[in-house]
Amino acid sequence: MLGLLALGAPLSALLAKLSGDAFFDRLRAANRVTPEFVPTIEAHQQFGDFTLWATIGLAIVALALVWFVPPRAAEPSATGGARPGRALTLSLQVLSLVAAGIAVYYVVRTGDSGAKAVWTGQ
């Protein structure tokens, strides 16, 4: 399940970015974007780019967790296999928290900048 979620986040961010870019292109083609407002939209697009990269990083760490850290039920005492090092497990857990924090930060900043652009023109 974590593996599917890990792939779903970057895919959702990519689809949101592509639809936003297409929307901006349609508005520009219809001459409905003033030159003064373009920097606001470009800032929102930049946050969208960072969101996409942050979710890709989170996906990589989540997939590494799935690959290298077995669930508790499948630990070596039950299967007789080799156990990944505690340092690796702890490192991946810390990296996943950091990556999740970064992804959440950029999701919020992207949404906030888009909302401000729509509602207040900032």
Side-chain angles (χ1 to χ4, degrees):
M1 183 57 113
L2 180 61
L4 292 175
L5 289 174
L7 298 175
L11 182 62
S12 296
L14 176 64
L15 292 175
K17 181 180 173 8
L18 292 176
S19 68
D21 290 345
F23 180 62
F24 180 56
D25 291 342
R26 281 195 315 270
L27 288 178
R28 261 195 163 160
N31 202 23
R32 295 186 66 197
V33 178
T34 62
E36 300 84 30
F37 197 60
V38 170
T40 301
I41 295 173
E42 288 175 345
H44 176 65
Q45 286 178 319
Q46 187 175 18
F47 281 129
D49 292 341
F50 289 141
T51 299
L52 177 60
W53 288 111
T55 58
I56 289 170
L58 178 59
I60 291 169
V61 174
L63 290 173
L65 269 171
V66 169
W67 184 262
F68 292 114
V69 180
R72 294 257 183 227
E75 285 195 0
S77 59
T79 62
R83 178 180 172 169
R86 182 156 171 78
L88 175 65
T89 301
L90 185 60
S91 297
L92 287 174
Q93 290 170 341
V94 169
L95 278 174
S96 68
L97 288 174
V98 170
I102 292 170
V104 166
Y105 172 79
Y106 280 113
V107 166
V108 170
R109 288 297 309 254
T110 304
D112 183 58
S113 69
K116 284 180 179 174
V118 169
W119 292 103
T120 64
Q122 297 179 7

